[in-house]
Amino acid sequence: MESSDKTKESAKQTFTEYLNKNKLRKTPERFAILDRIYSINGHFDIESLYCYMKENNYHVSKATLYNNINLLLDCKLIIKHNFGDNISQYEKSYNTHTHNHFICTRCGAIKEFSDINIKRTIQSKRIKNFTQLSYSLYIYGVCNKCQTEQEAAEQKKCVKTRI
Amino acid sequence: MESSDKTKESAKQTFTEYLNKNKLRKTPERFAILDRIYSINGHFDIESLYCYMKENNYHVSKATLYNNINLLLDCKLIIKHNFGDNISQYEKSYNTHTHNHFICTRCGAIKEFSDINIKRTIQSKRIKNFTQLSYSLYIYGVCNKCQTEQEAAEQKKCVKTRI
DNA sequence: ATGTATGCAAACCATTTGCAATGAC
DNA sequence: GTCATTGCAAATGGTTTGCATACAT
């Protein structure tokens, strides 16, 4: 069995337990949604999940997607990101409680990374009257591509001015 | 002069320079908006800014607020947060490039804090082909109030079950 | 005088809601 | 059989857009 299949199985089990515990029904739609989500690497929004499922010949309504996304958020099988464009992004989050991102403020490119030092430093932060569960870190800056483009544009401008 | 007034003056100057540089008009609305924003401690959304200005007998349309919020974001005088409820939150950001938050996943309470260790650790992270400008950290967990309430609820449940 | 900025209302669009039909239990 | 869940369509509400008017330059 592949490691991604193993994760999928574990996630399915977690979801089943959650549904049992909360006396919710184990509908085929629910497991189809979970299965599709756990096939996606990286971020996705509702629209792309909707299309992705349709492409795989499984039709679910947007309402059902929203409904179940909330359940999956509640049992921590996915996490939600809001990068600022008012379209919520989600991603699978099996045993991943830390999420670091670089975001280019020019082109909006998002890159994820792991860093044990950052993780340790943040998790060792003790806050009075607050129990830490997880964190999300967003580092903003300019990616190499945009920087190169900007420099080229400025050089062009200087040349123009000189003429 | 109070320190908050000094900050306000500096922000005003930064904004003036930005407007000049980009050949934008220095309208009274623009400076009124900046002034109000720099009187707010903590987060605000467009609706509350709109009301706050109205209360102070300064009417500006929502469209103008959105327009100018974008300018202020562009010249880094404010920053934008998306905490997940699809209502963008903003806050003044004069010389503040780091923003740490605790967020209670139950009641949504948000608390800001500073931490030099976290700041150093994150800023020392070098990413290939990426220039760091600023970061935002969101630590999720449960605040004391919600935890107490939950424990009380569970205790009640246990008592019920026993009976 | 020129053209940008404002205010208002309409449009937009992600998300939520209401409700009849379906199907898990 | 009961009632949670689904699908569809309509409603909601934050944000954007279009356009006539006002006003900074």
Side-chain angles (χ1 to χ4, degrees), chain A residues 14-15 17-19 21-24 34 65-80 90-91 93 97 133-134, chain B residues 105-106 142 150:
Chain A
T14 303
F15 196 31
E17 282 162 15
Y18 172 82
L19 294 174
K21 191 183 160 195
N22 292 279
K23 302 206 188 344
L24 297 166
L34 180 66
L65 287 181
Y66 279 108
N67 173 24
N68 287 301
I69 282 283
N70 284 330
L71 298 184
L72 293 170
L73 281 171
D74 192 38
C75 63
K76 308 278 195 304
L77 283 169
I78 60 174
I79 65 161
K80 181 178 178 176
Y90 305 89
E91 76 185 292
S93 154
H97 296 292
L133 292 175
S134 63
Chain B
T105 53
R106 295 277 160 73
V142 183
Q150 195 193 0

Side-chain angles (χ1 to χ4, degrees), chain A residues 80 82 84 102-103 113 115 121 125 127 129-142 144 147, chain B residues 80 82 84 102-103 113 115 121 125 127 129-136 138-142 144 147:
Chain A
K80 181 178 178 176
N82 295 84
F102 286 109
I103 302 170
F113 70 96
D115 188 293
T121 308
K125 173 85 179 172
I127 302 304
N129 298 333
F130 193 93
T131 311
Q132 262 197 57
L133 292 175
S134 63
Y135 74 82
S136 287
L137 171 65
Y138 304 93
I139 300 181
Y140 298 94
V142 183
N144 190 249
Q147 204 143 28
Chain B
K80 182 178 178 176
N82 295 85
F102 286 110
I103 302 169
F113 69 96
D115 188 295
T121 308
K125 174 85 179 172
I127 302 305
N129 299 334
F130 193 92
T131 311
Q132 261 197 58
L133 292 175
S134 63
Y135 74 80
S136 287
Y138 304 93
I139 301 181
Y140 299 94
V142 183
N144 189 250
Q147 205 143 26

Side-chain angles (χ1 to χ4, degrees), chain B residues 62-83:
Chain B
K62 294 262 181 79
T64 299
L65 288 180
Y66 279 108
N67 173 23
N68 287 300
I69 281 284
N70 283 330
L71 298 183
L72 293 170
L73 281 170
D74 193 38
C75 64
K76 309 276 196 303
L77 282 169
I78 60 174
I79 65 162
K80 182 178 178 176
H81 292 290
N82 295 85
F83 293 118

